[in-house]
Structure formats: structure tokens, C-alpha cells
Amino acid sequence: MRTVPGRTDRVVVVGAGLAGLSAALRLRGAGREVTVVERATGPGGRAGRVERGGYALDTGPSVFTAPELVADALAAVGEKLEERLTLLPLETTYRAQFADGSHLDVHADPDAFAAEVERLCGPGEALALRRYLAGLAELYRLQLTTFIDRNLDSPLDLLGPELITLARRGGFGRLSRYVERSFADDRLRRLFSFQALYAGVSPYRAVAAYAVIAQLDIGAGVWHPVGGIAAVPRALADAAADAGVEFRYGTDAELEVDGPRVTAVRTSDGERLAADAVVVTSDQPWRLVPGLRAPRRPVWSPSCVALHLGVRAELPGQAHHTISFGESWRGVFDELTREGRPMSDPSLLVSMPSRTDRSLAPDGGQVLSVVAPTPNLDPRSGGNPQLDWTTLGPRYRDEVLGVLEQRGWTGLTDAVEVEEMATPLDWAAQGMAAGTPFALAHTFGQTGPFRPPTLPRRGPENVVLAGSSVQPGVGVPMVLISGRLAAERITGPVPR
């Protein structure tokens, strides 16, 4: 594994999102002098928070998995997860709601989950579920140490028995076929393949290896951090500050380069921070790092409209997380990734964390986050820059709420008191390429060693990258891992 040459005593981390905080904790734990520079007024990055009218709205990720990664980051400075954060396991990790009116509650307990599947789909599918979950766990174990939780400098790094085993298991075939071979019921096929959108690709294009995404939520379980997901970066930042990491909030960063190295980071406040190494976590790092090139012929993930609501309604009977499937399936993926238009029959992820955590909403109210996948703004990635989201956004918001009303969230529209909405234009204004918060799609050519590495070969030799645009990829667990991988480019590998 390549590492940063020369001295690395003083490190500046640009960005106080989950990747930057993960890196900062590990660097500080390894004895480095660490300063974090963040343009926002507090930590969190994409895991943002809006508080208004008694409602606390998480404006970033809504599903929290793999808490062991947060525990690992805190342990780097001698902290314990349970002393910084309260996590509540969700007995029902998801409710899958289908167009035929049926629903399926996904349980963290495999026996309860199998009983639910048997109730809806019959004993044969319940048996298939048990086999599939066991296979997912093994597939995840196989991939974690070989393909995910390590720095990769070359495709040759993958050579070994694990690669052969993955190929024999069909990991390089199509995800849709992999799932179809496992289940006869179309509802289960959808449940175990929609996660491909987390990776930025249709399940009809994703490689079967991405079935492991389901292991993180369906197989291993989902938690709710008390105080909302924004409590996670706050806990990491507080632990880092107590360990001696310094933070500069509300300021932009500019790299000062002398020869092959960055020598300092200058803030827009006029401060000069001397640096032996720099970790950059921005979505388009080539805009900040001199000499760093953007990816050639990038394929960007679909974008989304994210609607965050505070509503004065009880909305009884709804789950913490609901995947609301439309009747159309393959057609909506074509709309998103080929035709460049919003889903005509949308499948939606709806989260209502106030069902579990009443601190997020006033009495009689609920907090909801609704994520509707949409095309991005890059026509080369199947997106559509011609969509006028300034005009379309409010209309699409009304359409999404109308769909939810029809699917059981009765009275939702008239009960909205607080509202935040983000469209592809908003993501682009925040500096996200192609107007998508999901970064580079996990196509075969942008996965593993083919994804930008944490230590680029071009640009200053002491600049390391972290975040969703580099290895290992998109999502809360992946960016936490990327922070660890970035730190190890500076400190050297840490035994695990």
C-alpha cells in the first residue's frame, strides 16, 4: 500500500463530514496534530440538521447501519460509543409496501422475518429467505476485507482465492438475475434488489456482488441514534475536540503548494495552517487540489428529490422506515438512468424517526423524510440538464405527497407545518457533481481498484482523499471506512 512520503506530523482535514471526522479521530489517535477546516457552521457535512417550529429535521441520510464503524472511530482516541451516543435497534427495520396493497415487515430477527415472509409468500419463500440471508452474510464477509475495507492501488491487489470464490458465487453476474434465481415472489425480488440505487445503478446493470448492500440493513439490522442521525457527527466531533483536534468552522480552504507538496492550508478568514499532509473530503476534490484530475468519462449516480417535513398529524400505523414500491419496476429504472425523466410511478423511501424518538417533534406531530430518486444533471450519465427544477420542484413535491396520500399517509399534505426540499439543482449548488448527492455510480469501471483511490497518483504527494467519490464508495458505512483508509495512507496500516 502506498503512503504519504516524508513528515506527516501536522495534518489538516478539509471537511467535517463523516469521512473527515473518521479520518481526524484516527489521525489524532496515532499522535498527529490535527486541524479540521469546515465551511459550514458545525460538523456533519451531508448529514445536516434543520430545527424549526419544534421539529428537528435530518436533511441527509435517514438510515443508520453498521454502528461498529462509529465505535471503531471513537476507539481510536480511547472513547466508547455508548458514552457518546445512544442507539436504539429497530425491531422492524423496514416496512415494504407494495402496489397490490400488501406489505411485509422486515425484522432484524431472522426467525421473525422468516415468519413474516411465510405469512405473505408461503413456506417455500421463507426457506429461500433463510438460505439467501446466510449467503448474504458469507458474501459480505468475503468482500469486506478483500474489496471494501482496504486501500487498493491496482486491480492486481485483488488477486487471490477470494476473487475466485466471488466469481464462483456469481458475484460478477447481474444483480437482478442473482436475486431472481433466489426468489419466485416478485415482491421479495424487489425487496432485495432496490438497494442497487444506493450504489447509483439499476439492479439490471449492477453486478451481483452489490447484493451485499442488503446485508448492512436487512441482514445486520438498522439503528436509530437518539437525537437523529445528525447526532452521529456531533458525537464524533465532540470526541475529536476532547482528544485535541482543533476545528475551524465557517471558513473555506485553499491549498498552498510548494513543489511536490502542500505546505499549508489557508482559510478564507486569513489564517495559515502549516501542514505536512492534507485530507480532502470534498465532493469534487479536483476543484480544490492543484494538479488533481477529474475522473475520465465519469458515470454519475441518479439524483433525488429529498423532502423533509414536520407535520401536525399522528399518522398512526406507519413504520419508522417504509419502502413504498410503485407498480412499475424495470420501467422506472429506465426513466431514471436512460430516459432522463422523473419516475412516472415512483418507488419512495419514507422515514418517520419521530415514531421511535419523540424528541424530534412536538406533541401531536411527526417528522418525515421522503426520498424520491430522480435523474441527475449529466446527459452522459442518463441525466437531464434540461429539467427546470425551479419550476418542476414544487409540482413534483405535490405529486409525491399525493402519491403518499393514496398509499396510506392520509391527511399528510394539509398537516405540513415545516418543510425543507432539495432538488438536483440544490445538490449542484452545494458543489455536488451532476447535481447528485450519491457521487460516482458503482459501475464495474468505478468499483474497487477502478474507483479513485484515497491516495491519487497525480497532484501533490501529500494530499489524501476521503468521502463518497473515492474508495470504497457511497453511503454512511462506506464514507466512515474511507476516513479510516485515508488516515492509513498517512499513518501506515493499522492492525485490525
Side-chain angles (χ1 to χ4, degrees):
M1 182 188 78
R2 294 184 302 119
T3 57
V4 170
R7 289 185 55 183
T8 60
D9 299 328
R10 299 167 299 181
V11 184
V12 176
V13 178
V14 180
L18 292 172
L21 294 169
S22 173
L25 284 163
R26 290 179 172 85
L27 289 164
R28 184 60 190 153
R32 289 347 187 242
E33 179 184 319
V34 182
T35 304
V36 178
V37 178
E38 168 59 51
R39 65 182 178 182
T41 56
R46 220 165 290 180
R49 165 65 61 88
V50 170
E51 297 183 6
R52 195 162 66 242
Y55 297 95
L57 309 178
D58 280 323
T59 59
S62 55
V63 179
F64 182 74
T65 61
E68 65 273 11
L69 297 175
V70 175
D72 184 60
L74 291 169
V77 293
E79 294 274 1
K80 294 182 178 180
L81 172 66
E82 58 271 20
E83 294 177 357
R84 288 288 180 176
L85 199 62
T86 300
L87 297 178
L88 304 177
L90 300 185
E91 180 181 346
T92 299
T93 58
Y94 288 107
R95 173 167 294 161
Q97 180 187 71
F98 302 103
D100 64 1
S102 64
H103 75 271
L104 173 70
D105 282 352
V106 177
H107 294 284
D109 178 74
D111 292 331
F113 188 14
E116 181 76 1
V117 168
E118 182 169 353
R119 174 194 65 80
L120 182 67
C121 309
E125 292 295 79
L127 182 61
L129 172 77
R130 291 184 182 277
R131 287 196 300 262
Y132 192 82
L133 291 177
L136 272 189
E138 176 60 20
L139 195 64
Y140 182 70
R141 183 203 63 77
L142 175 69
Q143 291 191 59
L144 181 64
T145 56
T146 306
F147 304 98
I148 298 173
D149 195 11
R150 62 182 293 201
N151 280 299
L152 298 168
D153 292 313
S154 162
L156 297 177
D157 292 341
L158 295 181
L159 295 179
E162 294 87 356
L163 186 66
I164 297 172
T165 302
L166 182 61
R168 285 175 175 169
R169 286 177 170 268
F172 296 109
R174 293 298 180 204
L175 174 61
S176 56
R177 295 172 186 167
Y178 183 83
V179 176
E180 286 168 3
R181 287 196 300 268
S182 301
F183 299 105
D185 194 294
D186 185 63
R187 292 168 295 189
L188 294 179
R189 290 174 173 179
R190 294 188 182 198
L191 180 63
F192 283 99
S193 60
F194 84 92
Q195 295 91 350
L197 273 183
Y198 294 165
V201 287
S202 159
Y204 297 97
R205 293 185 61 197
V207 295
Y210 280 110
V212 299
I213 300 175
Q215 171 62 17
L216 288 170
D217 48 19
I218 294 177
V222 175
W223 283 257
H224 171 75
V226 172
I229 288 186
V232 176
R234 285 201 305 270
L236 293 175
D238 289 346
D242 288 348
V245 174
E246 296 189 3
F247 286 84
R248 304 289 190 274
Y249 291 118
T251 186
D252 288 319
E254 181 181 352
L255 306 190
E256 182 181 299
V257 179
D258 184 9
R261 296 176 71 88
V262 171
T263 54
V265 174
R266 292 188 178 274
T267 72
S268 53
D269 293 336
E271 187 177 9
R272 183 181 184 274
L273 303 170
D276 299 316
V278 179
V279 179
V280 174
T281 68
S282 58
D283 287 286
Q284 300 184 71
W286 52 90
R287 290 188 169 184
L288 178 64
V289 182
L292 184 65
R293 291 186 179 178
R296 295 183 60 193
R297 300 187 183 90
V299 178
W300 301 102
S301 300
S303 185
C304 72
V305 166
L307 191 59
H308 309 289
L309 307 171
V311 299
R312 183 65 65 172
E314 293 288 351
L315 300 174
Q318 300 296 345
H320 187 119
H321 293 299
T322 299
I323 310 161
S324 179
F325 292 104
E327 184 173 353
S328 176
W329 187 239
R330 186 161 191 159
V332 298
F333 291 111
D334 288 339
E335 289 172 338
L336 287 175
T337 62
R338 295 178 184 273
E339 300 169 14
R341 57 193 181 98
M343 295 179 292
S344 56
D345 182 17
S347 291
L348 306 168
L349 172 62
V350 185
S351 297
M352 195 162 70
S354 52
R355 187 184 187 283
T356 302
D357 183 356
R358 290 305 309 164
S359 72
L360 302 176
D363 291 342
Q366 298 285 3
V367 166
L368 277 79
S369 288
V370 184
V371 178
T374 66
N376 61 41
L377 302 179
D378 179 20
R380 297 166 298 180
S381 302
N384 188 350
Q386 303 304 316
L387 289 175
D388 180 10
W389 283 105
T390 302
T391 303
L392 176 61
R395 295 204 311 265
Y396 195 62
R397 172 260 190 202
D398 293 344
E399 180 180 333
V400 167
L401 291 181
V403 167
L404 289 177
E405 293 263 8
Q406 295 170 10
R407 297 180 183 176
W409 280 267
T410 307
L412 172 61
T413 304
D414 293 336
V416 174
E417 290 190 325
V418 174
E419 181 175 344
E420 290 286 326
M421 184 173 70
T423 72
L425 284 183
D426 297 304
W427 304 124
Q430 294 176 37
M432 300 178 195
T436 174
F438 305 118
L440 291 168
H442 285 262
T443 61
F444 182 81
Q446 294 178 167
T447 295
F450 306 112
R451 199 171 185 85
T454 51
L455 184 58
R457 294 189 180 277
R458 295 182 180 274
E461 65 184 12
N462 60 337
V463 171
V464 178
L465 307 180
S468 56
S469 292
V470 299
Q471 298 171 8
V474 180
V476 171
M478 298 300 109
V479 297
L480 287 167
I481 291 173
S482 83
R484 176 166 63 202
L485 299 182
E488 290 183 358
R489 293 289 196 177
I490 294 169
T491 65
V494 176
R496 308 204 245 286

